[in-house]
């Protein structure tokens, strides 16, 4: 007999979307994976202590096992259960930015499986700032590993519909917490001899971290080495070719007007049809631009046109993080 009413066979699901916390708890306690809302992007969550759940996450995302997962906990007290030797500066950052879009890399305790950290000594930990997911974490007696709920390399989801489009039938349940407030991923930081190292820029900008300590540098690890000739680094990418530019009105001239989708910062382009373009923030607000970024990429990708032209954001604060995502989205696996 099928255990869950919406299971089609061993691998396929009639994916449900809803806000039934008890159902999410039941599935997660049974080593299944569930998409969960956070303030940044939707995550593909599983029991952090279960090899079976971790394997399912990698399999569903088609993610290489060398790319480790973030462990999500309900509050700071839970961090002591999974990490040790926590530097003072890490506690200061957590104090200022948690719950919120900050992920800290800390020496792992033995309770954390090597499968979570890809064999590394540090575990990535974050306290998401989303009421439904905090409630869920409080009902569970284990933390949740949760990468972004998209197939490896493609656009991250900020709405249940994005998850459904990309992972529908692969997962039983999408916990619906509405649209994500922040819209891009957390900032990942590690610590070396009292210094803060930013491994991934995200919602929390370099400037915001520098307010806590000036001893901070950016070290970029998401730039993958090409896996084989013909492949170039790519991430957060639409299926459609994406060109990032600060001169969209020049680039658009190389295409027919109905071949182009456009994502602008404040203004649309006059020359192409209105329905093939979106602006991220009419008021020029970078936080609003971040919030709308992935939705705009999903919508413009769904148009299936020849090219998406995206306008560069001002390279400051969260604008730098948006430009980072758009730069990676503009690297394609194949031309
Ligand atoms: O906002 C977020 O962080 C979202 C939500 C769902 O929480 N999660 C997310 O996870 O973006 P993911 O797996 O898509 O990205 C995690 C990033 C990757 O760049 C990964 O390499 C890095 O964090 N990371 C995870 N564990 C690490 C570790 N132990 N050492 C270094 N980097 C790590
Ligand atoms: Mg991701």
């Amino acid at each position: 007999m099928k255990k869950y009413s919406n299971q089609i066979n061993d691998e396929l699901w009639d994916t449900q979307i809803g806000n039934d916390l008890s159902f999410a708890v039941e599935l997660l306690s049974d080593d299944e994976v569930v998409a969960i809302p956070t303030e940044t992007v939707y995550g593909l969550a599983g029991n952090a202590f279960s090899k079976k759940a971790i394997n399912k996450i990698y399999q569903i995302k088609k993610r290489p096992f060398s790319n480790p997962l973030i462990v999500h906990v309900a509050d700071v007290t839970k961090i002591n259960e999974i990490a040790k030797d926590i530097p003072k500066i890490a506690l200061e950052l957590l104090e200022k930015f948690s719950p919120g879009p900050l992920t800290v890399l800390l020496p792992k305790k033995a309770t954390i499986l090597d499968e979570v950290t890809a064999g590394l000594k540090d575990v990535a930990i974050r306290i998401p700032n989303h009421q439904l997911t905090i409630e869920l974490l409080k009902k569970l007696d284990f933390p949740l590993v949760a990468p972004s709920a998209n197939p490896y390399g493609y656009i991250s989801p900020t709405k249940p519909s994005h998850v459904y489009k990309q992972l529908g039938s692969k997962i039983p349940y999408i916990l619906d917490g509405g649209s994500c407030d922040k819209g891009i991923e957390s900032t990942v930081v590690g610590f070396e001899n009292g210094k803060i190292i930013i491994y991934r820029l995200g919602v929390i900008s370099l400037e915001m971290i520098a307010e806590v300590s000036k001893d901070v540098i950016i070290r970029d690890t998401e730039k993958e080495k090409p896996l084989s000739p013909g492949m170039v680094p790519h991430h957060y990418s639409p299926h459609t070719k994406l060109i990032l530019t600060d001169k969209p009105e020049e680039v658009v001239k190389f295409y027919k007007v109905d071949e182009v989708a456009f994502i602008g910062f404040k203004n649309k382009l006059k020359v192409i049809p209105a329905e093939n373009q979106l602006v991220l923030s009419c008021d020029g607000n970078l936080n609003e631009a971040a919030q709308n970024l992935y939705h705009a990429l999903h919508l413009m990708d769904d148009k299936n046109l020849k090219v998406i032209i995206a306008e560069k954001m001002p390279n400051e604060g969260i604008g730098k993080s948006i430009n980072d995502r758009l730069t990676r989205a503009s690297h394609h696996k194949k031309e």
Side-chain angles (χ1 to χ4, degrees):
M1 213 179 80
K2 281 178 194 167
K3 186 147 184 217
Y4 305 104
S5 58
N6 58 347
Q7 193 158 17
I8 296 166
N9 60 39
D10 279 351
E11 280 153 30
L12 288 181
W13 298 89
D14 177 13
T15 306
Q16 308 291 304
I17 303 178
N19 54 13
D20 184 347
L21 279 180
S22 317
F23 188 42
V25 168
E26 188 186 339
L27 288 162
L28 290 163
S29 304
D30 210 11
D31 300 318
E32 298 296 349
V33 299
V34 170
I36 57 162
T38 83
E39 79 281 31
T40 59
V41 299
Y42 272 74
L44 187 62
N47 178 350
F49 297 147
S50 158
K51 280 191 192 178
K52 203 168 152 192
I54 294 165
N55 276 328
K56 278 185 191 169
I57 289 174
Y58 278 99
Q59 218 174 46
I60 292 168
K61 271 188 71 88
K62 298 197 169 67
R63 174 174 172 127
F65 281 101
S66 56
N67 197 351
L69 304 175
I70 299 173
V71 178
H72 295 64
V73 296
D75 57 66
V76 181
T77 59
K78 293 278 184 306
I79 295 182
N80 293 314
E81 294 170 20
I82 53 178
K84 57 187 180 188
D85 309 328
I86 305 173
K88 196 165 143 274
I89 186 66
L91 293 173
E92 286 172 26
L93 286 176
L94 285 165
E95 169 82 10
K96 176 136 185 189
F97 296 117
S98 280
L102 174 79
T103 295
V104 288
L105 300 176
L106 297 172
K108 80 176 189 75
K109 281 193 174 165
T111 44
I112 293 295
L113 296 161
D114 283 338
E115 284 80 355
V116 170
T117 63
L120 298 172
K121 289 197 174 60
D122 283 352
V123 56
I125 306 172
R126 144 167 150 79
I127 306 164
N129 192 10
H130 192 292
Q131 211 204 327
L132 199 58
T133 290
I134 294 272
E135 262 180 70
L136 173 66
L137 284 165
K138 286 190 173 153
K139 284 179 190 290
L140 297 168
D141 52 12
F142 48 81
L144 292 173
V145 275
S148 50
N150 52 284
Y152 182 68
Y154 290 96
I155 313 167
S156 303
T158 53
K159 293 176 189 288
S161 59
H162 301 157
V163 182
Y164 191 85
K165 185 180 78 173
Q166 294 186 313
L167 298 179
S169 86
K170 299 213 164 75
I171 59 176
Y173 199 52
I174 300 170
L175 189 61
D176 185 350
S179 296
C180 302
D181 268 2
K182 301 293 183 189
I184 59 170
E185 290 82 355
S186 63
T187 299
V188 179
V189 300
F191 308 94
E192 268 173 34
N193 310 319
K195 280 194 180 52
I196 303 169
I197 321 281
I198 300 180
Y199 290 94
R200 177 179 72 181
L201 264 179
V203 176
I204 297 172
S205 63
L206 174 67
E207 293 89 334
M208 287 161 80
I209 290 182
E211 278 175 27
V212 179
S213 164
K214 295 262 174 295
D215 229 347
V216 51
I217 57 162
I218 299 180
R219 187 182 298 161
D220 196 335
T221 50
E222 281 203 341
K223 278 202 183 104
E224 310 149 73
K225 289 200 180 76
L227 299 175
S228 63
M231 285 183 81
V232 293
H234 75 292
H235 221 125
Y236 311 104
S237 310
H239 297 280
T240 314
K241 173 180 173 161
L242 184 139
I243 297 174
L244 178 62
T245 173
D246 45 17
K247 299 238 174 343
E249 57 291 332
E250 296 298 319
V251 177
V252 75
K253 289 179 189 160
F254 292 99
Y255 295 91
K256 295 194 187 115
V257 287
D258 55 358
E259 289 179 340
V260 178
F262 176 62
I263 298 174
F265 178 34
K266 290 190 274 192
N267 301 305
K268 286 192 171 178
L269 286 178
K270 290 199 181 68
V271 288
I272 65 170
E275 67 270 21
N276 291 345
Q277 39 182 335
L278 280 172
V279 292
L280 296 181
S281 172
C282 299
D283 302 332
N285 177 325
L286 285 170
N287 289 319
E288 188 182 20
Q291 191 182 46
N292 291 329
L293 176 71
Y294 288 138
H295 185 53
L297 281 167
H298 277 287
L299 285 182
M300 292 302 115
D301 196 25
D302 291 346
K303 303 261 175 201
N304 284 317
L305 298 176
K306 187 161 186 189
V307 66
I308 300 171
I309 298 175
E311 184 179 14
K312 256 192 198 153
M313 303 292 123
N315 212 33
E316 65 199 24
I318 198 170
K320 211 177 167 72
S321 312
I322 301 174
N323 286 339
D324 167 90
R325 299 301 189 272
L326 286 171
T327 304
R328 292 172 207 279
S330 70
H331 290 280
H332 281 254
K333 251 199 286 197
K334 292 188 197 106
E335 280 293 319

